Amino acid sequence: MKIAVVPGSFDPVTLGHLDIIKRASNVFDLVYISILANKGKQHPLFTIPERMELLRRVTKDIDNVVVDTFDGLLVDYAREKKANAIVKGLRAVTDFEYELQMAHINRKLAPDIETMFMMTRGKYSYLSSSIVKEVASYKADISDLVPKEIMPDIYSKLNSNKED
Ligand code: PNS
């Protein structure tokens, strides 16, 4: 059985993430979507349990996907899950340098786990969770950026943060 880990912050999941997840699920028998729990980001929009719930909602029709969290080194987690590969999306040249560095360090730490890249679909090449939050914070349309079923969650979270 071939197992992949698709890691990330997913704050929130975008159509770009979902596209990579679907494509990975066509190639691997089992795909863990793994949210980094301890990332030192100052102001995440969604908590880890909320992000898990959003991811579960948008992947409910994909049988071989499991939403999970991890802490610490990605390769330790991948090994624990008996993963053959770490799968990541590459949007543009700007992603490349950072991802190349990550792939090399991860290979050094765990030579048995492959890092595999999927080129993000052209229409999502500009997309990021940060851009989604920026656009939504102005109440502008995010229907081409995130799965429709999580749009209300994003607007209402941003709205409730404003009231805090
Ligand atoms: O969606 P993101 O924020 O770009 O995801 C980044 C992530 C989670 C893939 C990356 O930060 C990560 O792998 N963190 C775990 C720590 C680790 O293993 N770092 C690399 C070796 S030092």
Side-chain angles (χ1 to χ4, degrees):
M1 171 140 118
K2 296 292 180 201
I3 302 175
V5 167
V6 178
S9 301
F10 304 105
D11 185 34
V13 56
T14 68
L15 285 175
H17 292 133
L18 191 56
D19 180 52
I20 296 292
I21 291 165
K22 279 184 185 156
R23 286 159 61 194
S25 76
N26 288 331
V27 176
F28 289 88
D29 300 304
L30 175 62
V31 175
Y32 288 99
I33 311 171
S34 309
I35 309 171
L36 176 63
N38 66 349
K39 188 144 182 185
K41 274 190 183 163
Q42 292 304 308
H43 300 292
L45 183 61
F46 291 100
T47 64
I48 301 293
E50 286 168 342
R51 281 181 247 172
M52 291 182 85
E53 194 276 316
L54 296 178
L55 272 163
R56 286 200 179 110
R57 211 189 299 165
V58 302
T59 58
K60 65 178 186 321
D61 295 331
I62 315 174
D63 292 341
N64 57 339
V65 154
V66 172
V67 178
D68 194 19
T69 61
F70 76 103
D71 224 336
L73 276 182
L74 175 60
V75 288
D76 288 345
Y77 168 81
R79 210 176 257 142
E80 186 194 308
K81 294 294 172 196
K82 303 194 186 326
N84 306 91
I86 293 164
V87 172
K88 292 189 159 186
L90 267 190
R91 284 168 299 195
V93 202
T94 40
D95 280 342
F96 183 77
E97 223 166 309
Y98 172 75
E99 292 298 347
L100 180 70
Q101 192 179 20
M102 281 292 164
H104 278 305
I105 193 67
N106 284 340
R107 174 178 290 282
K108 195 167 180 54
L109 294 167
D112 49 319
I113 300 171
E114 285 295 338
T115 299
M116 300 181 72
F117 293 102
M118 285 186 178
M119 297 306 143
T120 301
R121 236 174 260 283
K123 63 180 175 178
Y124 302 137
S125 62
Y126 63 96
L127 199 47
S128 69
S129 297
S130 306
I131 281 292
V132 166
K133 288 180 271 196
E134 174 88 12
V135 174
S137 72
Y138 294 102
K139 295 192 166 56
D141 182 21
I142 53 170
S143 58
D144 286 340
L145 314 184
V146 299
K148 295 236 179 338
E149 60 265 47
I150 71 164
M151 281 171 56
D153 301 73
I154 298 170
Y155 287 123
S156 78
K157 184 65 132 173
L158 283 164
N159 214 30
S160 71
N161 280 4
K162 235 177 248 170
E163 285 159 13
D164 286 347

